[in-house]
Amino acid sequence: MNKKDIILTGDRPTGPLHLGHYVGSLVNRVKLQETAEQYIMIADVQALTDNFSNPQKVHENVLEVALDYLAVGIDPLKSTLLIQSLLSAIPELTLYYMNLVTVARLSRNPTVKNEIQQKGFGESLPVGFFTYPINQAADITAFKATIVPVGDDQAPMIEQTNEIVRSFNRIYQTDVLVEAKAVISKCPRLPGIDGKSKMSKSLNNAIFLKDSADDLAKKVKSMYTDPTHLKVEDPGKIERNTVFEYLDVFGSDKNKVMELKAQYQAGGLGDMKVKMYLLDELNAFLEPIRKRRAEFEKDKAMVLKMILSGTKKAQEVTQKTLHEVKTAMHLIY
Ligand code: TRP
């Protein structure tokens, strides 16, 4: 990582951000803003690809997501926050890149493939959703990003982007587009509180960064543990036990966590006790985040102004890339 690195990353504003976002990419972004030039995109256009009939939801969550960024320590003096739909260069780049990607290649993109299955689109798969990886390639290349800190589910998107970069530069005999590297977090996959799959808002198993202490307590108490651990004195399993998986990530005292694991496996430690310990640890982690969020929430107009000024800077950067792209494509008249 060096000063010349440019980072472009972002999230779809479809709901508040959760602990999965935090460990998957926010924690990296907070670090990377110290050493590189970082742009963080609130991807409202991408959010619309599967929420086109719910524009109000997307609109409202733009500010929610911005508040979450600020709450976890994204510093507007070090990172540039921006709104995707205000950048007209991106749809234009998307259209040009569409010539360089085959339907077969898009169909093989594992991230989209999964999502299409999960959402059960079937025959009514919208073209906009199917092609969003091309739109995301436009996001990344418009900034000439060299680094994209994202969760591991997004790695195929960066691969697809780099293929477009190579095709474009080869076909139009240029070097205007730049390949990017995905930076995947050390803890890319946090299970949801149901222990079944990855934490996700749509699966209803998420702990949100903005959850109150009361909501958090309810969620932690309902967390999935070892279903065969019925009595306190029974030995319990720590493998695929969500409470211990969370303690591995959020436990501030590694020795204490090791002690609890040993005790749990030997028998004599009840689920509720471990959950109460995890609850304390999560509250200690989330409380400063909640406090910062509440401060920024008092002045939403200021937050919006800040995103709009970041967007303005992003417009200049992306228009410059678009001009270079159009020059390479002989589209300047
Ligand atoms: N696809 C990302 C998500 O699902 C959001 C996103 C849009 C993004 N554009 C991006 C991430 C560019 C990294 C880089 O949350």
Side-chain angles (χ1 to χ4, degrees):
M1 222 74 47
N2 62 53
K3 267 258 182 277
K4 273 194 271 153
D5 271 317
I6 296 175
I7 299 175
L8 183 277
T9 180
D11 296 281
R12 294 181 200 171
T14 52
L17 301 181
H18 51 62
L19 290 179
H21 290 113
Y22 185 84
V23 301
S25 64
L26 294 175
V27 62
N28 274 339
R29 299 178 195 174
V30 171
K31 273 192 221 130
L32 288 166
Q33 67 180 348
E34 301 299 332
T35 52
E37 170 146 21
Q38 176 163 260
Y39 295 90
I40 306 183
M41 171 182 285
I42 306 177
D44 57 346
V45 177
Q46 191 179 109
L48 284 168
T49 61
D50 64 325
N51 288 277
F52 52 86
S53 55
N54 212 345
Q56 194 56 32
K57 173 174 124 183
V58 173
H59 183 89
E60 281 161 14
N61 279 303
V62 168
L63 208 66
E64 285 297 308
V65 167
L67 286 168
D68 284 330
Y69 288 152
L70 297 169
V72 297
I74 296 293
D75 179 346
L77 295 174
K78 295 176 182 161
S79 296
T80 305
L81 296 184
L82 60 110
I83 300 179
Q84 186 186 22
S85 62
L86 294 173
L87 304 183
S88 59
I90 290 178
E92 211 174 324
L93 289 172
T94 305
L95 203 59
Y96 301 141
Y97 297 168
M98 279 186 169
N99 296 328
L100 312 180
V101 182
T102 64
V103 172
R105 174 61 181 92
L106 269 182
S107 313
R108 279 198 307 272
N109 182 311
T111 310
V112 197
K113 210 167 148 182
N114 268 344
E115 277 178 295
I116 290 171
Q117 244 161 29
Q118 264 176 21
K119 293 176 202 287
F121 281 126
E123 283 295 303
S124 40
L125 171 64
V127 172
F129 189 83
F130 180 60
T131 55
Y132 93 74
I134 306 178
N135 188 239
Q136 189 158 330
D139 296 342
I140 296 168
T141 54
F143 289 86
K144 302 198 178 187
T146 53
I147 289 177
V148 185
V150 281
D152 63 346
D153 62 315
Q154 291 289 307
M157 294 294 167
I158 318 303
E159 239 172 79
Q160 177 115 53
T161 300
N162 288 337
E163 283 175 32
I164 292 173
V165 168
R166 289 191 291 266
S167 298
F168 186 94
N169 287 348
R170 177 173 45 76
I171 294 167
Y172 301 110
Q173 294 176 27
T174 175
D175 56 2
V176 294
L177 298 187
V178 176
E179 287 193 50
K181 193 170 150 260
V183 171
I184 311 283
S185 136
K186 271 192 239 120
C187 168
R189 240 164 237 263
L190 189 72
I193 56 172
D194 57 1
K196 277 195 201 123
S197 41
K198 205 181 137 174
M199 182 176 286
S200 139
K201 180 178 178 287
S202 53
L203 296 174
N204 234 330
N205 63 9
I207 292 176
F208 297 105
L209 296 168
K210 64 179 255 191
D211 274 348
S212 66
D214 279 351
D215 288 340
L216 180 68
K218 274 189 217 128
K219 289 182 181 177
V220 170
K221 281 180 197 158
S222 78
M223 265 169 98
Y224 177 83
T225 58
D226 172 5
T228 64
H229 185 234
L230 298 174
K231 293 198 220 97
V232 173
E233 56 276 21
D234 290 343
K237 277 204 273 306
I238 58 165
E239 295 80 22
R240 254 178 270 137
N241 183 321
T242 319
V243 177
F244 283 103
E245 287 182 89
Y246 278 41
L247 279 176
D248 282 336
V249 180
F250 295 101
S252 59
D253 181 345
K254 300 294 167 209
N255 288 330
K256 174 82 183 170
V257 173
M258 257 163 51
E259 239 172 70
L260 289 173
K261 282 183 177 172
Q263 231 182 326
Y264 193 83
Q265 286 172 305
L269 179 59
D271 278 356
M272 217 17 113
K273 255 207 167 130
V274 200
K275 284 181 174 176
M276 287 303 124
Y277 179 71
L278 174 64
L279 181 59
D280 284 344
E281 293 287 277
L282 284 178
N283 266 319
F285 168 73
L286 287 172
E287 194 43 35
I289 296 178
R290 291 183 193 125
K291 277 217 182 90
R292 266 200 303 266
R293 197 181 206 280
E295 276 309 305
F296 284 111
E297 237 177 328
K298 283 187 205 151
D299 198 351
K300 287 188 181 171
M302 185 272 287
V303 174
L304 184 64
K305 231 171 119 181
M306 194 200 73
I307 313 173
L308 292 177
S309 109
T311 303
K312 207 165 159 229
K313 180 175 165 194
Q315 277 162 346
E316 285 162 21
V317 175
T318 53
Q319 283 299 331
K320 187 164 173 281
T321 305
L322 177 64
H323 188 81
E324 291 170 11
V325 161
K326 291 178 79 167
T327 305
M329 295 177 76
H330 302 286
L331 287 172
I332 303 294
Y333 297 99

